[in-house]
Amino acid sequence: MFSKVRNDCKRLARANHQNYLAETDDSLRSNPKRFWSLLREVRSSTSSPISLRCEDEQAEEPQAIADLFADFFSSAYRKETVPAPVYTFGETIHLSSMHISANEVELKLKSLNISKSPGPDEIPAAALKFFSEVLAPHLFIYLNYLLAGGVFHSNLKAGYLIPIHKSDDKSLAKNYRPVVFQSSLAKVFESLVLDKLAFSFRNVITPQQHGFQKGRSTSTNLVVFMNNILNAFKNRTQLDI
């Protein structure tokens, strides 16, 4: 029965792929975006480089390539020797005073994107989402325990680092950027804390702040910026940037 279903799936996949190519070809005039999207997909390659160079070092074995990537990416991070500045705030918020409810945890689990790859814990987002009602009461105890102790557990910090090719020569390490696949539980914990912080600081953060704000982005920032420029032209006033 399994073999029959598998063969049916393969046959349907081939048929659907041929139909997709035919429809893309037919819609070339009416929907050129579809054609160029297919072309980019066909031309792009996700294969790892056969050899990799970084400065004067070269690697060809998989382990050596991975080590070279690790050395290159880690070189971008350095410990700051400048002492941390001292701020005086009228309001102080401690993470240890925050409390996460089981319902909040369940809602976050149900909102997980099941198409995302799992992290080093190998727990797929689909499993967390499907068993959210069962897991939420246990996770909420664990996450509140971490908050009370001011700890982000080392297991949650682990991640798979994937080199993504940017452009130009694929054999040069500098032409790659790192992307980390985290544990879904780490993402849930971070998102819950972010919601608490955003609520606590809602009256502290200036309205001109667009980064890391819900409903705000570089796009909204540019819209406001352009509006200020146009108003300056309209009113014949000076605008310093």
Side-chain angles (χ1 to χ4, degrees), residues 56-72:
D56 297 329
E57 296 185 53
Q58 181 160 343
E60 296 183 357
E61 296 297 324
Q63 183 62 52
I65 290 176
D67 292 339
L68 204 58
F69 269 130
D71 292 338
F72 173 69

Side-chain angles (χ1 to χ4, degrees), residues 127-229:
L128 295 173
K129 186 172 185 175
F130 184 79
F131 296 109
S132 58
E133 293 182 7
V134 178
L135 294 172
H138 302 282
L139 285 176
F140 117 91
I141 296 174
Y142 173 61
L143 297 181
N144 279 310
Y145 172 77
L146 295 181
L147 276 176
V151 175
F152 191 78
H153 201 278
S154 57
N155 288 340
L156 298 176
K157 296 178 184 178
Y160 288 139
L161 193 147
I162 310 296
I164 304 297
H165 179 245
K166 295 185 292 185
S167 61
D168 299 329
D169 191 351
K170 286 190 174 184
S171 64
L172 296 178
K174 67 178 183 180
N175 293 332
Y176 290 81
R177 63 181 176 88
V179 172
V180 177
F181 287 172
Q182 278 184 290
S183 158
S184 294
L185 289 177
K187 295 177 184 177
V188 167
F189 190 25
E190 290 174 351
S191 183
L192 287 165
V193 171
L194 178 60
D195 287 348
K196 296 291 183 181
L197 289 175
F199 180 79
S200 300
F201 286 109
R202 65 193 184 284
N203 296 323
V204 178
I205 299 175
T206 173
Q208 283 72 32
Q209 172 69 24
H210 285 255
F212 306 103
Q213 294 294 301
K214 190 174 183 179
R216 301 289 190 91
S217 66
T218 52
S219 298
T220 59
N221 176 264
L222 288 173
V223 168
V224 173
F225 176 57
M226 286 295 297
N227 187 60
N228 291 339
I229 292 177

Side-chain angles (χ1 to χ4, degrees), residues 11-47:
R11 186 175 64 256
L12 286 171
R14 286 194 297 267
N16 286 331
H17 182 63
Q18 291 300 322
N19 290 336
Y20 172 69
L21 294 178
E23 289 175 3
T24 302
D25 187 37
D26 293 338
S27 64
L28 183 57
R29 287 181 179 274
S30 60
N31 189 9
K33 276 188 175 181
R34 187 174 182 178
F35 168 76
W36 291 113
S37 176
L38 174 62
L39 184 62
R40 283 193 297 270
E41 182 180 343
V42 172
R43 292 180 62 182
S44 63
S45 174
T46 58
S47 59

